[in-house]
Amino acid sequence: MPTDIWYGADCETRIGRRANATTAPTAWQAIDFMQVTVTPSQEWRQRAKLGDPAARSNALDPIKPRPGFERVAAELVLDADSRNLPLWLRYSMGAPATTGASAPYAHAWASGGKAEQYFDLAVKVGASDVRVYEALTLAQISGNVTGENTQDFDLNLSLRGLRRATPLSAFPAGDVEDIPDEAPMLRCVFEIDDVAADAFLSGSFSYDRQLQEGVFLSATPTVSKNTPNGGAHSGSATYRAIGAAFDTMEVGQTVFEPAFAYAGVVSGHKIRVEHTHALLAPSPMPIQGPGMIERTLNWSPFQTADAPALRIVVTNDVASYATA
């Protein structure tokens, strides 16, 4: 039996981009994270064959089931970091649109892409225990902004994968890129149409990249792919009520651009999560005694002929992620 004890602080992690769902990575990127929970699952199908008493010790207990399809789900908490976040986005959402002739460069990822994107996640959890989860893709990205206006920020990724590999004693072969120097975000403001909004207390956003499993009749009893099949977006912000501007926007069905703009500890580095077009839902006005009134905005993002519903723009000193 193994004698080493696993500690999260000892973990090493790599991600490797796949050309498609069936082609294993040949190069890897060392990566960091705050938390990860990987949940593999597999169906076990009961097939109660009768007629052979010698196969049973009694008449009532179940016989050995048959293995069914494997699936993998993963939940990650990431540091909002302008050098490390783009690597996760590159592997899970594809290459960004990059602008800028010199640093800082702006890398923009857009929601709504139909192209399938897959990568492998390899996690070393013991002295010689490496777990590899294959053909992962993005299911959801979300974030919350709460508390003080200067702090560290987390982003959440939900992933779906096709299978897990047999545990290895070493990382899979291939070239490995080092983890970039950290460049965390330390400030976030809520913007409406590119103007910072006053008196905002907290907010959240979510992009649910709905996936359709490909389960086909074949010689290999596994899920074949996870194809993008729609998207759902949401956003909210709680503010200390000042004036009736948002009531006017609600009643007038005003289209606006809400955004969470993060500024980094490294000069010029930014992360901007923007819903390019949105409408406000009617919001309640709770009056809870003589104190100041707080209200919560909820909006419904949507696309137009010129823009997707969501853009994530990361500004940093990396020239390109086209071949990452």
Side-chain angles (χ1 to χ4, degrees):
M1 295 296 290
T3 58
D4 61 318
I5 298 173
W6 296 354
Y7 289 92
D10 292 333
C11 283
E12 297 178 45
T13 309
R14 298 176 184 177
I15 53 178
R17 186 167 63 89
R18 286 178 167 246
N20 51 54
T22 59
T23 303
T26 57
W28 296 84
Q29 170 67 60
I31 203 76
D32 59 14
F33 59 90
M34 306 296 290
Q35 299 176 34
V36 63
T37 301
V38 184
T39 306
S41 63
Q42 186 174 33
E43 303 172 54
W44 292 99
R45 297 184 175 273
Q46 297 292 338
R47 299 285 289 177
K49 297 173 72 174
L50 307 177
D52 182 7
R56 300 171 179 270
S57 65
N58 62 65
L60 301 180
D61 289 337
I63 63 173
K64 182 179 180 180
R66 295 179 181 176
F69 281 16
E70 290 185 65
R71 291 173 175 84
V72 173
E75 302 293 330
L76 288 116
V77 179
L78 308 178
D79 194 19
D81 182 299
S82 57
R83 290 196 181 112
N84 282 278
L85 175 63
L87 296 172
W88 290 101
L89 296 178
R90 171 65 182 98
Y91 282 70
S92 60
M93 294 183 69
T98 299
T99 56
S102 60
Y105 305 92
H107 311 282
W109 283 266
S111 62
K114 294 194 296 183
E116 296 173 25
Q117 305 288 338
Y118 296 102
F119 68 95
D120 286 5
L121 173 67
V123 184
K124 185 178 180 182
V125 290
S128 58
D129 289 281
V130 177
R131 306 302 168 95
V132 180
Y133 304 95
E134 298 179 340
L136 298 168
T137 193
L138 179 68
Q140 185 187 72
I141 182 168
S142 62
N144 294 280
V145 180
T146 58
E148 297 180 358
N149 211 27
T150 301
Q151 61 178 29
D152 293 316
F153 297 97
D154 292 337
L155 296 172
N156 305 301
L157 294 187
S158 295
L159 307 172
R160 297 293 179 269
L162 301 186
R163 58 196 162 266
R164 60 175 171 173
T166 301
L168 305 174
S169 59
F171 279 114
D175 296 335
V176 183
E177 292 290 332
D178 292 336
I179 299 175
D181 293 336
E182 69 170 7
M185 299 292 104
L186 292 180
R187 177 173 162 77
C188 183
V189 297
F190 179 67
E191 296 182 352
I192 296 175
D193 296 333
D194 295 321
V195 177
D198 293 329
F200 273 83
L201 304 171
S202 63
S204 66
F205 70 90
S206 176
Y207 166 38
D208 185 359
R209 188 167 174 260
Q210 298 168 1
L211 303 171
Q212 177 67 54
E213 286 187 342
V215 181
F216 308 120
L217 291 173
S218 68
T220 305
T222 61
V223 176
S224 298
K225 58 173 65 178
N226 279 308
T227 303
N229 192 36
H233 302 263
S234 65
S236 68
T238 299
Y239 68 103
R240 189 152 290 153
I242 302 175
F246 293 116
D247 293 303
T248 302
M249 293 171 64
E250 289 176 13
V251 174
Q253 299 183 4
T254 303
V255 176
F256 71 109
E257 179 187 280
F260 295 100
Y262 301 80
V265 65
V266 178
S267 178
H269 284 223
K270 304 174 185 176
I271 297 174
R272 180 181 173 85
V273 180
E274 57 189 27
H275 287 128
T276 61
H277 299 83
L279 288 168
L280 284 174
S283 61
M285 187 173 69
I287 301 174
Q288 299 171 339
M292 289 179 285
I293 297 173
E294 294 180 6
R295 301 183 67 182
T296 299
L297 302 176
N298 293 282
W299 57 85
S300 296
F302 60 93
Q303 66 170 314
T304 66
D306 301 318
L310 172 74
R311 269 196 296 255
I312 302 174
V313 183
V314 182
T315 303
N316 61 19
D317 51 5
V318 180
S320 176
Y321 292 97
T323 58

